[in-house]
Amino acid sequence: MTASRKTLHVNLFEMACVSHIVHGMWRAPGNNRHRFGEMAFWLDIARRAESAGVDAIFLADVVGVYDRFGGVEAALRLGLQIPNLDPLSIVPAMAAVTEHLGFATTFSTTYEPPFAFARRMSTLDLLTGGRTGWNIVTSYLPNAARNFGLNDEVPHDDRYTRADEYLEVLYKLWEGSWESDAIVADREADIFSDPARVHRIHHAGPHFRVEGPHLVQPTPQRTPVLFQATGSSRGLQTAARHAEAIFIGGRTRDEVCANIASTRAAAARQGRDPSDLKFYVMAGLIAGRTEEEARSKLARYRTFYSVEGALVHAQAELDLRAYDRSMTIAQALEQSGSPFGNMGRRFGTEQTIGNAIDQISTFDEGRFFVVGTPEQIADAVESWLDEDGIDGINMRQYHTFETLDDYAELIAPELRRRGRLPDPPRAGETLRHRLFGHDLLPETHPAAACRPAALRRSTHGTDLHTPSRAPENAS
Ligand SMILES: Cc1cc2nc3c(=O)[nH]c(=O)nc-3n(C[C@H](O)[C@H](O)[C@H](O)COP(=O)(O)O)c2cc1C
């Protein structure tokens, strides 16, 4: 065991629904997913995750239904991300029964204004002692847009432009509005907060107008740990500027390496230290005490897999099952008269229908999938760390709680034996400290420019920004 070995950060990938990404698996004997509406389920999973030594529970979220393939009926019938509980509301219960487990929660920048979200997130960061993360998403479901008063989705790149401003508002509230020593709690003088050390933000931009001050005092991390997943060039621009932990795609080791290198270079162009970024992938680990046991577990899981669920989740414009397996996606699209869309983007137009079906009906087993003994799994993880250059994984749950228990009992001990897991957390450690070795965002992050000290260098006075004229469409 050498101290210099790169260690693996692990999030448990969750969503407060019955069918998140491994559709059909909820029916497997012993699977607890149907209990996601019970408080006891979340307390159970939080305790198990903490004792397994994962860094955080990562909660996905959508704010609409997948109604393109099979309509809303199919999603409802399959329990596919509906019903779906509000992830932010689940965190306090899990935090109350754990000491150092982190909680990375998904929230969209597209539909709800930043002021209320800033307050909710700060409340969580304060009460959890700095154990929060935020998965920044801009949302992709047309139904979500119609749930929030729009006729259709905001165009893709415009969503990221809005996200950039959303983050700027948040940084002003989280990093700039309250000075660290603003709460004086002086009973004699009858002063709780010193007004000279709390600032309005007077943000006025194309999308948002927020006066401030922030309603919550400084929290251990101020800004939660920023996660983002993106595949587009506009999304990568936002991620390179803001995200600390980025989900990276790639079908081969070379593709993953190239994507990591180009994202680090994009971050450096934004003035950030490229070594401040960590790269994550979604990974599937299926373990057994013997290779045979692991393979039979995989075979058992596969019998439950729902191809229909995969098509609903992919917002498919084609029912792949209705075409000859030897046809390409391009030919099927042409035959059906469907435009190039989700199927083409996901599989590539030259892929055959047969390959695409095999891929989805075997749980998307790509580069970051391994089935085997703890030693075989640890070998794969070591190659992901050392050859692909990743730092962490979102661990897919095939079976709740079997996946987590297998990780705790079989996989983690082997990774630990090889020095591939971080040291156990210290009492009171924040999530950012655990991942990056410090509690607050570094000075090279754009949020630092919103801190009072940085602003005092460029302006004077108590308020953070000189108010500018608000645009007509500010919300
Ligand atoms: C590990 C992972 C988790 C994700 N979680 C969510 C989520 O919870 N909610 C969501 O709307 N999108 C989620 N996404 C999708 C991304 O936010 C994003 O839309 C997708 O990667 C495509 O990138 P683009 O929007 O830049 O084209 C996730 C993606 C990955 C890889």
Side-chain angles (χ1 to χ4, degrees):
M1 202 195 292
T2 56
S4 60
R5 281 186 176 176
K6 191 171 178 186
T7 54
L8 182 76
H9 289 289
V10 179
N11 294 323
L12 180 71
F13 204 13
E14 250 298 344
M15 186 167 182
C17 63
V18 84
S19 197
H20 170 204
I21 40 176
V22 287
H23 306 300
M25 271 303 298
W26 72 276
R27 300 167 298 161
N31 199 331
N32 277 272
R33 290 243 54 94
H34 63 287
R35 292 181 46 221
F36 74 93
E38 293 171 26
M39 180 74 94
F41 172 87
W42 295 103
L43 303 185
D44 209 354
I45 204 160
R47 289 192 184 105
R48 285 168 193 256
E50 179 157 276
S51 73
V54 308
D55 291 324
I57 293 189
F58 187 105
L59 286 150
D61 193 34
V62 289
V63 286
V65 289
Y66 290 82
D67 57 2
R68 174 157 196 169
F69 185 91
V72 68
E73 295 78 9
L76 284 165
R77 186 162 36 76
L78 300 171
L80 194 140
Q81 302 194 5
I82 181 171
N84 170 32
L85 313 186
D86 174 8
L88 286 167
S89 306
I90 298 169
V91 170
M94 293 195 286
V97 295
T98 52
E99 283 174 8
H100 42 72
L101 183 67
F103 305 98
T105 314
T106 299
F107 192 84
S108 173
T109 54
T110 300
Y111 299 118
E112 294 183 61
F115 186 77
F117 174 63
R119 181 188 187 207
R120 256 180 270 161
M121 213 32 155
S122 289
T123 304
L124 287 181
D125 201 56
L126 192 65
L127 298 184
T128 61
R131 293 195 266 150
T132 60
W134 170 30
N135 178 31
I136 305 164
V137 300
T138 62
S139 298
Y140 49 73
L141 292 171
N143 172 254
R146 294 194 294 273
N147 289 335
F148 289 91
L150 306 178
N151 290 329
D152 206 348
E153 288 182 282
V154 177
H156 178 274
D157 288 8
D158 295 350
R159 296 204 293 271
Y160 282 108
T161 304
R162 185 184 162 95
D164 286 332
E165 190 187 337
Y166 199 101
L167 279 146
E168 191 187 330
V169 174
L170 293 175
Y171 298 150
K172 289 173 182 172
L173 293 166
W174 286 334
E175 302 280 338
S177 189
W178 286 68
E179 306 216 14
S180 304
D181 52 2
I183 294 192
V184 291
D186 184 339
R187 283 194 167 91
E188 301 289 310
D190 192 11
I191 301 174
F192 189 72
S193 309
D194 176 358
R197 289 180 248 176
V198 181
H199 314 287
R200 295 181 198 269
I201 69 164
H202 291 303
H203 176 88
H207 302 96
F208 307 109
R209 194 155 51 120
V210 180
E211 183 177 73
H214 188 32
L215 295 183
V216 183
Q217 69 265 45
T219 73
Q221 300 183 119
R222 288 194 178 245
T223 299
V225 175
L226 301 172
F227 289 84
Q228 196 190 321
T230 178
S232 62
S233 60
R234 182 60 188 87
L236 271 173
Q237 219 178 303
T238 293
R241 180 165 172 73
H242 301 281
E244 303 173 85
I246 299 179
F247 288 91
I248 206 82
R251 276 164 300 189
T252 62
R253 188 192 58 187
D254 290 349
E255 271 181 33
V256 176
C257 289
N259 288 341
I260 290 178
S262 66
T263 310
R264 284 201 203 281
R269 283 196 297 278
Q270 308 252 14
R272 295 180 65 191
D273 180 345
S275 65
D276 282 342
L277 274 60
K278 293 213 182 296
F279 291 90
Y280 280 66
V281 293
M282 178 162 56
L285 319 176
I286 297 183
R289 281 172 183 77
T290 61
E291 195 175 332
E292 196 190 356
E293 187 185 295
R295 294 247 155 241
S296 75
K297 191 175 288 179
L298 172 63
R300 171 162 54 92
Y301 290 174
R302 279 183 176 168
T303 61
F304 293 100
Y305 197 68
S306 160
V307 173
E308 184 187 10
L311 294 171
V312 173
H313 194 178
Q315 299 265 75
E317 51 281 294
L318 285 180
D319 187 348
L320 298 182
R321 300 166 299 181
Y323 294 86
D324 191 293
R325 283 178 63 88
S326 64
M327 282 175 92
T328 62
I329 300 265
Q331 288 167 332
L333 284 170
E334 196 183 330
Q335 187 175 314
S336 70
S338 303
F340 173 84
N342 297 324
M343 290 288 90
R345 267 193 295 279
R346 173 150 179 194
F347 299 108
T349 45
E350 292 318 307
Q351 170 105 270
T352 63
I353 295 284
N355 281 345
I357 289 182
D358 290 347
Q359 188 179 327
I360 54 179
S361 55
T362 52
F363 300 115
D364 282 331
E365 294 159 14
R367 168 133 187 90
F368 301 103
F369 173 79
V370 55
V371 46
T373 61
E375 293 74 23
Q376 289 169 318
I377 291 176
D379 288 346
V381 167
E382 291 196 301
S383 80
W384 301 342
L385 288 167
D386 297 339
E387 294 169 28
D388 298 66
I390 66 151
D391 302 282
I393 60 169
N394 258 17
M395 187 166 65
R396 274 170 186 260
Q397 276 187 97
Y398 296 96
H399 186 291
T400 307
F401 305 104
E402 190 167 85
T403 302
L404 189 49
D405 291 345
D406 284 349
Y407 176 76
E409 288 160 26
L410 302 174
I411 303 170
E414 180 60 21
L415 290 173
R416 202 165 289 121
R417 198 182 64 73
R418 298 186 188 195
R420 291 300 194 160
L421 288 180
D423 292 335
R426 291 178 297 111
E429 191 172 44
T430 64
L431 180 60
R432 180 172 288 110
H433 201 280
R434 184 158 197 199
L435 300 181
F436 297 97
H438 44 83
D439 293 333
L440 302 176
L441 281 166
E443 281 300 313
T444 46
H445 190 280
C450 297
R451 290 179 180 147
L455 287 158
R456 263 196 300 273
R457 284 195 288 274
S458 51
T459 57
H460 298 281
T462 313
D463 283 354
L464 277 179
H465 293 273
T466 310
S468 53
R469 238 192 81 199
E472 299 291 312
N473 62 347
S475 56

